[in-house]
Amino acid sequence: MRVFLFDDDPATHWARPSGHLPWLIEHADGAALARAVAWRLAATLRRAIVERGRATLALTGGDAALDTYAFLAAQELDWRRVTLLLTDEPWLPPTDPRSHERRVADVFLGGAAGAASLLPYLRGSDSVGGDLQAAALDVARLPRPYDAVVLDVGEDGRIAGMAPDVDGLGLLLDPTTPATLAAVDRADPGGQMLTLTVAALIATGVVLVVGRGAAEATVLGRAYEAGPPEELPLRAVFDNAPEPVEVHWCP
């Protein structure tokens, strides 16, 4: 495992309000990445439970993170005190294999980690707006900051449900936006989705971004080096997270 800053020369990196550079943690392979991120998350959750009696973890439903969740679910934790929520959720039935709720539940809720609470976003409404209204109330009731957020990144630089082609993207990326959950309609196969806003994603103690392969490495580099957040939404997280974002990547 190698750990380094994207750019160690403060004269060449772009300015960000928090003044923090993201860390890049490079792992030998997917299994090494999954174990390392799981241990990092488990330690964070244990500390939160000791300090406050509860822990809250926001999870992506993307492929790159699922192996990590299998390792995390096997960790010894007081899972009864852990609340899980999703960074984004396609507007699909929970039985659909593309449902993030289903993917996360399949990993966590079968063993000891099944004692955790998973907050559902889809409530059986006949519109994505109806589900948004109900789910947003429950999300707003969760204490913030969250203890950790796990994100993956798309090849277009999207983060959670926020892709460059989404209408109203600037508002979703604004760290001062009061909304924590929003509905979006993506032009790609993602379709209609519910997504946490950047303001919600950065209201956390630890932000972890996971990625695999050369294509995602290229996107991560572009998000660091150039382009406004509206072109590479991941930049908004890098720019505004109160602590350095940890990027965990493997070939």
Side-chain angles (χ1 to χ4, degrees), residues 14-22 151 159 162 169-177 197-207 223 228-230 232-245:
W14 35 263
R16 63 169 55 75
S18 67
H20 295 300
L21 290 169
L151 299 165
I159 204 74
M162 294 170 284
L169 182 62
L171 188 61
L172 300 177
L173 300 179
D174 185 342
T176 65
T177 297
T197 63
V198 162
L201 293 175
I202 65 172
T204 184
V206 177
V207 179
E230 287 77 8
L232 291 159
L234 176 59
R235 269 287 297 275
V237 178
F238 283 176
D239 283 354
N240 296 291
E243 298 294 334
V245 173

Side-chain angles (χ1 to χ4, degrees), residues 119-133:
L119 178 65
Y121 287 168
L122 304 188
R123 309 300 174 84
S125 174
D126 59 1
S127 69
V128 68
D131 282 337
L132 170 65
Q133 186 174 14

Side-chain angles (χ1 to χ4, degrees), residues 33-201:
L33 184 155
R35 286 193 298 269
V37 173
W39 292 335
R40 177 78 166 100
L41 291 170
T44 300
L45 298 178
R46 289 190 189 103
R47 183 173 64 249
I49 291 169
V50 168
E51 293 177 353
R52 300 194 316 280
R54 295 289 308 174
T56 305
L57 174 60
L59 300 171
T60 175
D63 292 339
L66 290 178
D67 290 342
T68 287
Y69 301 161
F71 280 103
L72 177 59
Q75 299 293 310
E76 291 189 11
L77 279 166
D78 189 351
W79 287 103
R80 299 168 301 168
R81 299 180 181 274
V82 177
T83 298
L84 308 174
L85 71 157
L86 301 166
T87 61
D88 58 298
E89 175 67 292
W91 197 58
L92 297 167
T95 54
D96 192 293
R98 295 168 293 172
S99 162
H100 292 180
E101 179 183 339
R102 172 179 172 172
R103 302 182 105 197
V104 170
D106 283 349
V107 175
F108 278 96
L109 304 187
S117 299
L118 175 58
L119 178 65
Y121 287 168
L122 304 188
R123 309 300 174 84
S125 174
D126 59 1
S127 69
V128 68
D131 282 337
L132 170 65
Q133 186 174 14
L137 291 174
D138 288 338
V139 172
R141 292 188 185 102
L142 292 176
R144 288 192 295 165
Y146 306 138
D147 295 293
V149 170
V150 181
L151 299 165
D152 60 357
V153 58
E155 295 183 9
D156 58 357
R158 63 136 183 93
I159 204 74
M162 294 170 284
D165 61 2
V166 166
D167 288 339
L169 182 62
L171 188 61
L172 300 177
L173 300 179
D174 185 342
T176 65
T177 297
T180 56
L181 192 68
V184 299
D185 192 355
R186 288 166 47 176
D188 65 14
Q192 292 181 306
M193 304 185 74
L194 296 179
T195 181
L196 293 179
T197 63
V198 162
L201 293 175

